[in-house]
Amino acid sequence: MFTVRIQAQDFDPAQEAAALSRGRTDIGAVVTFTGLCRAQDAPGGAPLIALTLEHYPGMAEEEIGRLVEQARARWPLIGATVIHRYGRMVPGDNIVLVVTASAHRAAAFEAAEFLMDWLKTSAPFWKMEERDEGTAWVAAKDEDDDAAERWN
């Protein structure tokens, strides 16, 4: 089962992982990654009040689906679930979930890392941070591009 969802509502990582592997005896490894909204980017920085994520409907699902297909072509995945939220979130809220399933752990780990690295750079989402001093759009980071590029 391969699933991509873009949604405003929260998700339960444990339920999503269980749903992916339920009834399957061919799965030997399930890897989950949950990205959370955090309060600070750097020690001493102004605390984050909220993070608002906007996306390009239709295009976001299509791009993430394309990334899942690339992962399937590279690793022997049995299943994958990618959920990305949009809207206003506060520190501690779930933002993104990647779950990969394979017969062996290496494939599941590598595919999850591949998906997260490329989600950070190619999925059409925009982040606006809300802090005491105001709001600002978050610029892309070179280190995210470097992380994704290592898969080429």
Side-chain angles (χ1 to χ4, degrees):
M1 177 168 61
F2 294 88
T3 304
V4 173
R5 295 197 321 259
I6 311 296
Q7 62 191 47
Q9 67 271 25
D10 197 9
F11 52 81
D12 181 324
Q15 284 183 352
E16 296 296 337
L20 185 61
S21 60
R22 187 173 294 117
R24 302 293 302 255
T25 59
D26 54 342
I27 293 174
V30 174
V31 170
T32 64
F33 172 85
T34 306
L36 305 172
C37 181
R38 64 181 177 271
Q40 288 182 301
D41 283 334
L48 182 76
I49 296 168
L51 180 68
T52 299
L53 283 147
E54 294 186 5
H55 72 295
Y56 193 113
M59 183 183 276
E61 293 89 343
E62 184 177 316
E63 178 61 17
I64 295 171
R66 187 182 67 77
L67 294 172
V68 169
E69 287 305 312
Q70 286 182 3
R72 289 180 74 181
R74 292 178 79 145
W75 293 279
L77 293 179
I78 297 168
T81 299
V82 178
I83 302 171
H84 205 303
R85 293 184 61 203
Y86 65 88
R88 187 175 188 269
M89 285 158 257
V90 297
D93 283 354
N94 293 319
I95 298 174
V96 63
L97 176 68
V98 172
V99 184
T100 55
S102 184
H104 303 284
R105 71 176 186 265
F109 272 114
E110 290 171 12
E113 194 170 12
F114 169 88
L115 287 167
M116 267 317 302
D117 284 347
W118 281 106
L119 278 169
K120 292 280 289 182
T121 60
S122 68
F125 287 90
W126 299 273
K127 299 177 189 176
M128 183 172 35
E129 293 181 335
E130 181 182 329
R131 300 182 188 272
D132 283 336
E133 62 270 11
T135 60
W137 291 102
V138 178
K141 297 178 182 171
D142 289 338
E143 57 264 28
D144 291 337
D145 290 331
D146 293 343
E149 195 57 37
R150 71 189 172 110
W151 298 102
N152 285 335

